[in-house]
Structures are given as C-alpha cells and as structure tokens.
Amino acid sequence: MPDQLAAEVTELVGDQAGHWDRTGLIPHELLRKMSARGLLSAQVPGEYGGLGLSSVQNGEFTAHVGSLCSSLRSVMTSQGMAAWAVQRLGGAGQRTGLLGDLVEGRLAAVGFSEAEAGSDISAMSTTIRPDGDDVVVNGTKVWITAAHYADELVIFGRYAEGGAAVVVPADTPGVTIERVPDPLGCRAAGHSTIRLDGVRVPATRLLGGAGMPLSMLVTLVLAYGRMSVAWGCVGILRGCLAAAGAHARTRRQFGKPLGEHQLVARHLAELLVSEQVATRACEHASARWDENAPDVVTATVLAKHVSATQAAQGAAAAVQVMASAGADNSALVARAYRDAKLMEIIEGSSELCQVMLAEHVLSDS
Ligand code: FAD
C-alpha cells in the first residue's frame, strides 16, 4: 500500500471515529474530498483518473481505513463497488463519464437488497422498464450503505427476461432516501431505505449488460464488495490487536501486567492468529483477483467468510481483555465488536458463504 495514502487518511480521520459513531455522521465534505482524491475507489484505473491500485494494494489500504473507522470503510466499499459495476458492466462512454465522476468528488451507493429479497436476491421485485429514450424504475431498496451521502445510486432490478443495473442520480424526482434510524454498528455509514417511485432517467444510464441473468450481474458486482469487506475485517482485527495489546502491557492487576496472566495472554495469542489467518486469506484472494484467476470468486467468498468470522471472534476477545476500558460504547474495541458482527451478515452472510463454498466442493467431486 502506498504509505502516503494511509498517512493521508490517518490525518483526515484523526481522533474523530468515535464521534462519528456517536453522531451517526461522517462530514460530507470529508467524503467528497476523499472521493476527489480517488481514495474511496482506489482500484479505478489511471486512464479514468483513478489511483489504479491493484487488489492487493487496495486491500492493504482498505484494511488501514478499516482499522481506523469501519463506517468510513463501509462508505469506501460502496463507492468501490459502484465504480466496479460501471467498470465491468458499463460501455466506453459510461466508463469515462461515470467513473470520472466517482474519482472527482461524487459519492455512490449500490442497491440490491429489498424487504423480501435479502439472502435470496432472485426474489428482487424492483423493475427497470424501457420507455422511449428513458428507463423507468420502481421499487424499494433497504439497508443501503452510504445512500444517505450518495449523489448516484446504482440500482439493480428486473429488466425484460433478465436483470439490469441503472445509475440513478439521487436527486431525481421520485427518489426518496430515509436513514435507518439506529443501526447496531457502522453507525455513521449512512444506511438508508431508498424508494423509487416511477423514477425516469435517460436509457444511457442503464449499464451495458442489461438483460443478463440478475444473479450473474449481482455476483459480479458483489465480488468487489466481498473483497473490500474482507480486508475491512482485517483492519478491525489490527485495530483490536493494537488496542488490546497496549492495554495488556500497561494495565496491572494482582501485582503484574494483564498480559502476564496466562488466560489473558491466550486471548492475545488467539487475536493474533485471527488477524494472521484473515490476512493470509485476503492476500490470497486479492492475488487471484490481480491474476484474473478462474477461482477468484471462490477465493473471495472464502476470504470474506474467514475474515468476517475472525473479526467477530477477535473483537469479542479484545473487549474481554480490556473489560471496562473497552465497555465505553465509542471505544475502538466496542465499535469493532458491533461493526464486526454486521460483517457476518452483509455481502453474503456467513451461512450463504458456507452454502457457496459447499457448492464449490460438491461441483468438484
Ligand atoms: P435473511 O435473508 O432474512 O436471512 C436471515 C438469516 O437466515 C441469516 O442468518 C441468513 O444467513 C440465513 N439464511 C437465509 N437463507 C439461507 C440459506 N439458504 N441457507 C442458510 N441460511 C440462510 N444491501 C444492499 O443491497 N446494499 C448495501 O449497501 C447493503 N448494506 C448493508 C449494511 C448493513 C449494515 C446491513 C445489516 C445490511 C446491508 N445490506 C445491503 C443488506 C444485506 O445484504 C442483507 O441484510 C443480507 O443479504 C441478508 O439479508 P437479510 O437481512 O434479509 O436476512
């Protein structure tokens, strides 16, 4: 990871992550600034004005952001996923225009999920209907990360016999965005319900690939999100390791540092194992991504599953080591504990990842 990018974000976040978590808001101008520097979607190639990081480099950068603030990392995941959707599905003109916007200050969110279509994306009922030179979008998306901040909404829906993704400006008539009032974690990530009521946009905003099977479109775009979340979980573990390690070195009970009590030391050892296991799984998946290897989808699902599970376990251990010092709700480990739990739910829950991994095993035998 280019060190100067990490240093830049460290400075931008400062000591604000706990405050953002408490207030449920990251300053909009900070997000715009990061977008305009290409930092929220750092894999966008240089030819479109992006930083052109590889998956391995962007992964390490994402982990760094995740170690500071999972809400910010979540916004980054959404922006990166939107950019990836445009890059992979869009035509040449869309790539130039829309990708350019996403590295010049505009912000984006991606909507797949609906009230009746969570794990089961095939139950999606949002429709994208051609009408002359326009398309008309109707439906409601739930729990959409970063939608509160977004200028552009990448909306997935049914289109003819297949599916499609359309980029809808958030201020288009018929779009309503309402915050999820009290999320468990990543509380400043701007999760929102998006209602689209007869929303009309030019057909040029329909990403190429319209009419492809919906599951194929979603899987392609989710792959980026899964990789990003996986690295974000590595960041959660690194933040927890640093905080719990420092505490165990300095806090004394029964006449010696906590870390010299073997049961506490064991928590630290397990936390290190979690961080290393998650890192290796992510490094492997990102290397496969950069090589465009055929097993990249499986490697990514595995990395996401391993990292999310390890982050949830590791954050719980870090709170245990810090006890009351970690029990303040905006302490780093308390935020990590709440944020990590959500990572087992999003971008393919742990169970859905297990189903996909088992399908991989069965298809090979
Ligand atoms: P359900 O699908 O109802 O599942 C409930 C439980 O049943 C889960 O444990 C699940 O694993 C299990 N389950 C379901 N089916 C199976 C099965 N076949 N086998 C075994 N177990 C199963 N969506 C977006 O489109 N964009 C976003 O940016 C976004 N951000 C999110 C951020 C947060 C913090 C959260 C909580 C959600 C977000 N979502 C987003 C929605 C997210 O993708 C869904 O919550 C997720 O897909 C799970 O769907 P669900 O909540 O409806 O749970």
Side-chain angles (χ1 to χ4, degrees), residues 113-125:
S113 304
E114 300 175 4
E116 301 306 324
S119 301
D120 181 9
I121 286 296
S122 71
M124 202 183 276
S125 65

Side-chain angles (χ1 to χ4, degrees), residues 67-91:
S67 73
L68 302 171
C69 176
S70 282
S71 288
L72 180 58
R73 196 277 310 147
S74 298
V75 171
M76 188 172 159
T77 296
S78 294
Q79 181 97 351
M81 200 161 43
W84 182 244
V86 173
Q87 192 180 329
R88 285 306 306 271
L89 300 174

